[in-house]
Amino acid sequence: MHLFTGRAKDEDKMKCENDVNGHSFVSSSTSEEEDEFEDEDEAMQEQTEEYKEPGHVNKYEDATGAAQLPKTTQVVFEIQSGRSVPRLCEPRHLYGVSGHVSQTHSRWPKECVVIQEDIHHIEWTPPSPEPFCIPKSDEGPLYQNVEEGTLVYDAQAGKEYYFSGSRAGGNRSPLPQASIPLSGPDDTTLLFEGRFESGNLMSAHRIGQFDYELMLRTDLYTKKHTQWFYFRVRNMRAGVPYRFTITNLLKSTSLYEKGQKPLLYSEEKARASGVGWHRVGHDVSYYLNGRFHLDLPCFSLSWGFCFPYDQDTCYLAHCYPYTYTQLWEHLSEIERKPRLSSFCKIRTLCRSLAGNLVPVLTVTSPSEWEAAHKPAIVVTGRVHPGETNSSWVMKGIMDFLLSDTPDAKLLRDAFIFKLVPMLNPDGVIVGNYRCSLSGCDLNRSYSSNLTASFPTVHAMRTMVHRLCEEREVRMYCDLHGHSRKQNVFTYGCARAADNQLHERVFPFMLSKNCPDMFSFQTCKFKVQRSKGGTGRIALWKLGILNSFTLETSFCGSSIGQQKGTHFSMTDLENLGAHFCDTLLDYCDPDRTKYNMCIRELQDALRQETLLALASSQAEAPQSDDGSTSGSNSSDSDGPPAHLKALKMKRSIKSKKQRDCSCLVRQGEETPEEKKDGDVKGEGEYTLKPLRVPQHMLRRRKRDTPREPTDANTKMSVLYLVFDKEKGSMKSKSEYLRHLMSGYIRSRIQLGLGNSLSGLDLGPVQVCVQQEQSESSITPSSSITPSSSMSSGVPRKTNHGRWTSQV
């Protein structure tokens, strides 16, 4: 038996030849990759090489003369008794999604210009913790006007106002020059570049021989959120004291005021000494610079440092970068290990707004009889793209769960883990700090109905909702970074009147297992109204008791043995391992540790209550827990950017606007409403005209004789009028009660067939206006006039419903 398959093993072509009964024929096909997200991309051309033998006339027939099936990649042919018998090929192995590299290429907005270079950084851990610097608090702006300097880098060209499409690799036009050309080999001007994956640098001005003022790009399609920076520098001189100053930061406080240093990566130092990202900087200062952006004061971050080598290629960043490409490289390594295939499955949760894949990992031991009873643990990260430290914590969680340790095996046996390492790949790719390509914060959009604008969080919420229907979801944790506080801590959920401490046990245990990084005193357990759209609160409302946001400082620790030092990559990965180890303690069948933590929490709560009572008359200190992620998170980003451009903002109203939608101020009446004869009340508000729906005008009894009416009569709009003796209505509930009473009286009157003037309607009067139609009515639909209701009676359609012509 000969086997022929249409699956191409070579990327360009495949030709298979076999002899059957002295004849030779060809079965060939190619796979055509279609990209449904690129409107302007060129379609891939299918190339096939045909093979013909003498006497082989019809290329659509095989050796037996039977017509061949159309070319496909899913059909194989078995030669049985001289005949080719088609059958479906074996299904492809569905273990991973990164088998085809083209599916994991970064897709950029089509107007973005990107340098086509692969940037790789080695992972390195310093031999000793890197200490904080001594910040300078009295620093002032060195230069008041950037016009005094020389523009040496500008990457503002091609900025659009909303997302309109994506393309792999970004704009395909020739790469424009963003840096000024050097005048000669002795020119010491630095060459900046930030147009690469996750990079962020808008412009650079040279204001001194070795001093530069930099400006960051705001989040794409927004006018705010400037915090994340990541750029490349070339043409430097070693040992020269350079000073960089970023001048358009918008946060009033920063960890740079508490000793944080920027990061530097030298390619030459990595090759020579194996040193990766490390902290640099002296005289680090963060201060108000007197400039404004959108009527908001701007702040400057300034630091001095020296480059280690001449003519080197160096990178500077706010935190350890972790790109979308790095994520897929890590997932590819996982897929290449056959040992992991039995308990780790990588699937696609959805596609982002730009068409980038959002992977989800399912980690659990293959036990079918226990699968329906296993509780689930859901962990997500990088909903805010600039919080790169959360990706390193997620990497530590993944590496721990996929390891061979007994604790990892025990966790896989006890739980089903759903890991979403990157919820906002679009923002990660373009170098945003907080928003997606919709121009909105995804961690404020979990309760939004605009699923097309926020596909990743909608898919995430749907996945968790299905998990809750299938099994118990024991915990949800969203990984974040914090730019204003030290250490690691959590934000949890608890009702104001709830005295239960169970939701505080896991963070308390984590502080026991990680005492040098995690601070339980910084944890907050509140459900704030302004945070209702966050993943923590939205999924807590689905019934997940342990719903947390794990915040990791961009800087370092102020407690334990690591006090006064920065977090390294290894520290962040170890935090992920401590998170998994704490899960074992929290879910241990032996409740000794759990009960001990409950008792300690009760004692701590009792002491806190006594201290609060003792200082009740003293001035309470202001709490800084209003920000759950180190930014102005309570500020609304408004609707997505493309909806703003399409002028659809009016369709999105707040709850207060919806409550007052039926009450119109007298000064806001339109000319049409005044023409219709709206009746005003004596108060501040007046009512809109009420148009009665057609289905509400049904007759009460079918056996009630029809009362004739004029064929040309049309029924006008019903208006509810306030009684002038009563005060005006100022609440929606009062208005609804008033409306319902009038509606019931109207229905009684219409159902009994009485005249409008025959009933006492109390404070509600029903005004019926008659309008004479100019067009004639057909005999089949005419109704005989009646003396009791000569006009205003609806006519009945063929479907038995009453309609009114207005």
Side-chain angles (χ1 to χ4, degrees):
M1 180 175 65
H2 302 278
L3 183 65
F4 296 86
T5 179
R7 184 178 301 281
K9 295 184 179 180
D10 186 75
E11 294 182 357
D12 299 328
K13 59 184 178 179
M14 181 191 70
K15 179 170 68 177
C16 301
E17 303 179 6
N18 287 273
D19 293 331
V20 179
N21 297 329
H23 296 277
S24 176
F25 68 97
V26 180
S27 174
S28 65
S29 67
T30 60
S31 299
E32 180 177 344
E33 295 292 332
E34 296 183 359
D35 193 348
E36 59 183 357
F37 296 92
E38 296 189 28
D39 296 335
E40 301 178 7
D41 286 358
E42 298 180 357
M44 298 180 63
Q45 300 295 330
E46 183 176 79
Q47 301 178 356
T48 57
E49 184 176 329
E50 298 179 3
Y51 178 84
K52 296 182 180 180
E53 284 285 335
H56 196 82
V57 180
N58 191 349
K59 63 180 181 179
Y60 297 105
E61 296 181 355
D62 59 10
T64 62
Q68 292 183 347
L69 296 176
K71 294 179 181 180
T72 178
T73 61
Q74 302 298 322
V75 176
V76 294
F77 298 89
E78 296 178 355
I79 306 304
Q80 298 178 357
S81 301
R83 298 183 59 185
S84 60
V85 180
R87 67 172 178 85
L88 290 176
C89 67
E90 294 296 329
R92 295 172 59 184
H93 185 45
L94 298 179
Y95 165 53
V97 295
S98 62
H100 201 291
V101 181
S102 63
Q103 296 293 319
T104 61
H105 285 166
S106 301
R107 300 185 63 88
W108 293 71
K110 60 184 181 181
E111 72 273 7
C112 289
V113 179
V114 187
I115 61 173
Q116 303 299 325
E117 297 182 16
D118 294 332
I119 299 176
H120 297 279
H121 305 305
I122 64 172
E123 296 185 23
W124 175 76
T125 302
S128 60
E130 298 174 297
F132 296 164
C133 71
I134 301 176
K136 291 183 64 177
S137 58
D138 297 333
E139 184 73 19
L142 298 177
Y143 297 87
Q144 294 290 343
N145 298 316
V146 296
E147 288 78 5
E148 299 177 2
T150 304
L151 181 66
V152 297
Y153 175 80
D154 185 14
Q156 303 185 67
K159 181 176 176 60
E160 300 291 338
Y161 293 102
Y162 62 93
F163 174 74
S164 59
S166 65
R167 180 181 292 116
N171 197 325
R172 294 184 177 179
S173 61
L175 185 68
Q177 186 72 22
S179 299
I180 63 172
L182 299 177
S183 59
D186 295 333
D187 192 348
T188 59
T189 303
L190 294 180
L191 300 178
F192 293 87
E193 185 59 78
R195 297 172 297 175
F196 50 83
E197 186 176 359
S198 296
N200 190 327
L201 180 65
M202 186 175 67
S203 64
H205 287 79
R206 185 178 184 180
I207 56 177
Q209 185 177 3
F210 302 111
D211 295 338
Y212 293 83
E213 279 196 356
L214 314 177
M215 294 189 68
L216 305 181
R217 173 184 53 78
T218 59
D219 282 5
L220 213 57
Y221 313 124
T222 72
K223 295 182 180 180
K224 52 184 179 179
H225 305 304
T226 55
Q227 179 72 25
W228 166 256
F229 62 89
Y230 176 33
F231 55 89
R232 186 182 70 189
V233 183
R234 286 176 176 171
N235 196 42
M236 68 283 295
R237 302 295 185 267
V240 174
Y242 288 90
R243 174 162 288 274
F244 286 175
T245 304
I246 301 175
T247 61
N248 64 333
L249 300 175
L250 299 178
K251 293 187 178 181
S252 58
T253 59
S254 174
L255 285 172
Y256 289 104
E257 298 176 296
K258 301 179 181 179
Q260 180 181 349
K261 295 181 181 180
L263 284 164
L264 174 70
Y265 184 93
S266 169
E267 289 188 352
E268 185 64 29
K269 196 169 186 178
R271 284 191 296 265
S273 307
V275 177
W277 288 100
H278 57 283
R279 304 281 176 175
V280 296
H282 58 84
D283 296 336
V284 180
S285 58
Y286 190 88
Y287 56 88
L288 187 68
N289 59 22
R291 302 176 185 176
F292 291 89
H293 174 75
L294 298 178
D295 297 330
L296 297 175
C298 292
F299 295 81
S300 291
L301 167 64
S302 180
W303 73 98
F305 68 104
C306 297
F307 290 105
Y309 295 94
D310 284 339
Q311 302 298 327
D312 192 7
T313 298
C314 295
Y315 297 85
L316 290 101
H318 176 60
C319 189
Y320 304 105
Y322 194 96
T323 64
Y324 184 69
T325 302
Q326 276 182 270
L327 171 64
W328 279 110
E329 289 176 353
H330 188 208
L331 296 181
S332 298
E333 292 179 1
I334 294 174
E335 290 182 338
R336 286 193 291 265
K337 298 178 181 179
R339 178 187 63 86
L340 306 180
S341 61
S342 61
F343 53 81
C344 177
K345 307 296 181 184
I346 303 177
R347 299 288 185 266
T348 300
L349 176 66
C350 64
R351 284 185 180 267
S352 65
L353 194 61
N356 293 295
L357 297 179
V358 180
V360 55
L361 285 74
T362 303
V363 182
T364 188
S365 297
S367 53
E368 297 181 358
W369 66 278
E370 292 180 348
H373 305 285
K374 283 185 179 181
I377 305 292
V378 182
V379 185
T380 61
R382 289 302 283 279
V383 68
H384 292 152
E387 297 170 0
T388 58
N389 46 4
S390 64
S391 284
W392 294 102
V393 178
M394 176 66 77
K395 184 176 183 296
I397 293 176
M398 291 191 294
D399 292 345
F400 184 89
L401 293 176
L402 301 179
S403 64
D404 294 329
T405 61
D407 289 345
K409 185 178 183 304
L410 189 58
L411 282 173
R412 295 194 297 265
D413 293 339
F415 300 103
I416 294 179
F417 288 90
K418 292 287 186 178
L419 309 178
V420 186
M422 195 170 287
L423 267 174
N424 191 354
D426 298 343
V428 172
I429 290 171
V430 301
N432 282 0
Y433 173 64
R434 192 170 183 86
C435 299
S436 68
L437 293 184
S438 64
C440 298
D441 184 355
L442 290 184
N443 202 35
R444 298 296 181 272
S445 306
Y446 275 84
S447 57
S448 174
N449 294 325
L450 302 176
T451 57
S453 300
F454 316 117
T456 57
V457 295
H458 172 69
M460 175 64 197
R461 182 183 174 91
T462 302
M463 182 191 73
V464 176
H465 182 71
R466 290 176 179 174
L467 279 176
C468 292
E469 293 178 348
E470 296 173 359
R471 66 188 74 249
E472 176 194 1
V473 179
R474 188 68 57 84
M475 181 179 297
Y476 166 75
C477 186
D478 192 15
L479 306 180
H480 284 259
H482 210 284
S483 64
R484 299 184 182 185
K485 294 182 180 181
Q486 305 279 20
N487 308 315
V488 183
F489 52 93
T490 61
Y491 290 112
C493 299
R495 300 185 184 277
D498 191 2
N499 295 326
Q500 299 295 329
L501 300 175
H502 300 287
E503 67 277 356
R504 307 190 182 197
V505 174
F506 180 82
F508 189 72
M509 286 184 172
L510 185 55
S511 67
K512 298 286 187 181
N513 293 333
C514 189
D516 297 333
M517 298 177 64
F518 193 91
S519 173
F520 182 76
Q521 287 73 21
T522 317
C523 298
K524 303 294 180 183
F525 300 89
K526 293 183 179 180
V527 179
Q528 295 172 301
R529 190 172 185 179
S530 61
K531 307 298 189 299
T534 62
R536 168 176 62 95
I537 296 179
L539 300 184
W540 173 73
K541 292 179 180 178
L542 294 180
I544 304 176
L545 179 63
N546 294 300
S547 183
F548 302 111
T549 297
L550 183 65
E551 298 280 354
T552 306
S553 174
F554 283 116
C555 185
S557 175
S558 62
I559 56 176
Q561 298 180 357
Q562 290 188 231
K563 181 178 180 180
T565 59
H566 291 86
F567 290 148
S568 64
M569 292 182 183
T570 303
D571 292 332
L572 299 175
E573 294 181 21
N574 289 339
L575 176 62
H578 289 307
F579 177 87
C580 297
D581 189 43
T582 307
L583 280 175
L584 286 176
D585 295 335
Y586 182 76
C587 300
D588 192 349
D590 184 5
R591 309 303 286 171
T592 303
K593 293 182 179 179
Y594 187 93
N595 295 331
M596 180 185 66
C597 291
I598 287 290
R599 288 193 296 270
E600 291 188 28
L601 287 172
Q602 289 175 347
D603 295 340
L605 182 61
R606 189 180 300 108
Q607 294 178 3
E608 181 181 350
T609 304
L610 293 177
L611 291 176
L613 292 176
S615 60
S616 59
Q617 296 182 353
E619 183 178 359
Q622 295 182 354
S623 175
D624 57 350
D625 61 342
S627 174
T628 59
S629 58
S631 47
N632 301 327
S633 54
S634 298
D635 298 341
S636 174
D637 293 317
H642 65 283
L643 295 186
K644 293 179 183 178
L646 295 175
K647 298 181 180 180
M648 295 178 62
K649 186 176 180 181
R650 290 174 51 189
S651 62
I652 305 175
K653 298 180 179 180
S654 65
K655 184 177 184 300
K656 183 177 180 180
Q657 291 173 331
R658 293 193 301 269
D659 290 344
C660 298
S661 61
C662 294
L663 300 177
V664 185
R665 294 182 181 272
Q666 296 180 7
E668 297 176 355
E669 287 184 317
T670 61
E672 291 79 3
E673 292 174 346
K674 294 181 179 179
K675 185 177 180 181
D676 290 340
D678 295 357
V679 181
K680 299 180 181 179
E682 297 179 358
E684 185 181 4
Y685 293 96
T686 181
L687 289 177
K688 288 182 178 180
L690 174 65
R691 298 184 181 273
V692 180
Q694 298 178 359
H695 68 276
M696 293 185 178
L697 299 178
R698 302 179 67 177
R699 300 188 63 164
R700 295 286 298 270
K701 298 180 181 179
R702 294 185 178 273
D703 55 350
T704 304
R706 298 182 181 179
E707 299 193 11
T709 183
D710 188 2
N712 296 328
T713 300
K714 294 182 179 180
M715 187 172 183
S716 65
V717 180
L718 296 178
Y719 293 88
L720 295 180
V721 184
F722 281 129
D723 188 356
K724 296 183 178 180
E725 297 180 356
K726 294 189 176 181
S728 61
M729 299 180 186
K730 296 184 180 180
S731 65
K732 186 176 180 180
S733 59
E734 185 180 357
Y735 168 74
L736 291 177
R737 288 194 299 269
H738 191 92
L739 178 66
M740 184 56 66
S741 62
Y743 167 68
I744 293 175
R745 292 184 176 91
S746 301
R747 284 293 303 268
I748 293 175
Q749 177 188 4
L750 293 176
L752 297 178
N754 296 327
S755 62
L756 297 178
S757 59
L759 292 178
D760 183 12
L761 301 182
V764 180
Q765 301 175 5
V766 180
C767 302
V768 180
Q769 300 177 354
Q770 301 179 359
E771 299 177 1
Q772 300 298 328
S773 174
E774 297 179 358
S775 60
S776 60
I777 189 169
T778 59
S780 60
S781 60
S782 61
I783 300 177
T784 306
S786 173
S787 59
S788 60
M789 293 186 64
S790 59
S791 63
V793 179
R795 59 182 178 85
K796 193 173 183 180
T797 64
N798 294 332
H799 301 285
R801 290 198 176 265
W802 290 93
T803 59
S804 61
Q805 300 180 1
V806 180

